[in-house]
Amino acid sequence: RATVGPTPEPTPRPTLGPTLENTPRPTLGPTLGPTPEPTPVPTLGPTLGPTPEPTPKPTLGPTPGPTPDFRKPCIEATVRNDNGRTVIDVDFDYEDLTFDRPHVDVCTPNDDDCPIKELEPRSSDFIGFYPCEDAELDPPFSHEPEIWSYTCYHRVCRRNEPITAKANITFDDY
């Protein structure tokens, strides 16, 4: 038989399995780690003493109360209107009163402690509201207050213990 035209290239023979890439040769020995940092320059002079003992463990006691704010006055009052009634809320705290903390320094010569030498709370302490013009008296505020209450909030505590040196009292004209 005769062919017309060029003869095609012969088909390559099929391989018996898949062709694999050549496996790279294994490296010899383990891989080295990273390069170490350079050795630090030695310090000059003697070495310091031994390391101090570790801080002791905390004690298991009650946490102390907050530090008193000595800038705060020992007594503060707020006047408000409650449904047409005048109400006065008084907060006082003179548990830790010192002469450098703001306090009322008014006394009469009849007082045992005049001029004031001690700021210790007493069971006879009271809160009083005076007319403004009583500041002009000699000595100031030497008349009975118009409204008052012992700091224990009832009239039978004058000589009773315990002493009330921190509380709030509400005066209400109801």
Side-chain angles (χ1 to χ4, degrees), residues 46-51:
T47 307
L48 297 176
T51 305

Side-chain angles (χ1 to χ4, degrees), residues 130-145:
Y130 298 83
C132 293
E133 58 269 13
D134 280 13
E136 305 300 321
L137 295 173
D138 186 27
F141 306 106
S142 55
H143 293 152
E144 288 286 324

Side-chain angles (χ1 to χ4, degrees), residues 3 14 22 30 33 39 52 60 68 75 77 79 81 92 97 106 130 145 151 162 174:
T3 59
N22 291 339
T39 304
L60 298 176
I75 187 167
V79 180
N81 185 309
F92 61 93
L97 195 59
V106 178
Y130 298 83
T151 54
Y174 177 63

Side-chain angles (χ1 to χ4, degrees), residues 83-151:
N83 293 323
R85 298 185 329 265
T86 301
V87 178
I88 304 170
D89 297 307
V90 179
D91 292 311
F92 61 93
D93 175 3
Y94 58 102
E95 288 179 314
D96 300 312
L97 195 59
T98 59
F99 281 100
D100 62 340
R101 185 172 168 200
H103 63 279
V104 178
D105 192 13
V106 178
C107 63
T108 66
N110 299 338
D111 291 340
D112 296 336
D113 189 24
C114 189
I116 296 174
K117 297 179 232 42
E118 290 184 29
L119 298 175
E120 293 298 315
R122 297 180 182 172
S123 59
S124 61
D125 290 344
F126 69 93
I127 298 169
F129 294 97
Y130 298 83
C132 293
E133 58 269 13
D134 280 13
E136 305 300 321
L137 295 173
D138 186 27
F141 306 106
S142 55
H143 293 152
E144 288 286 324
E146 296 218 357
I147 301 169
W148 69 278
S149 173
Y150 284 116
T151 54

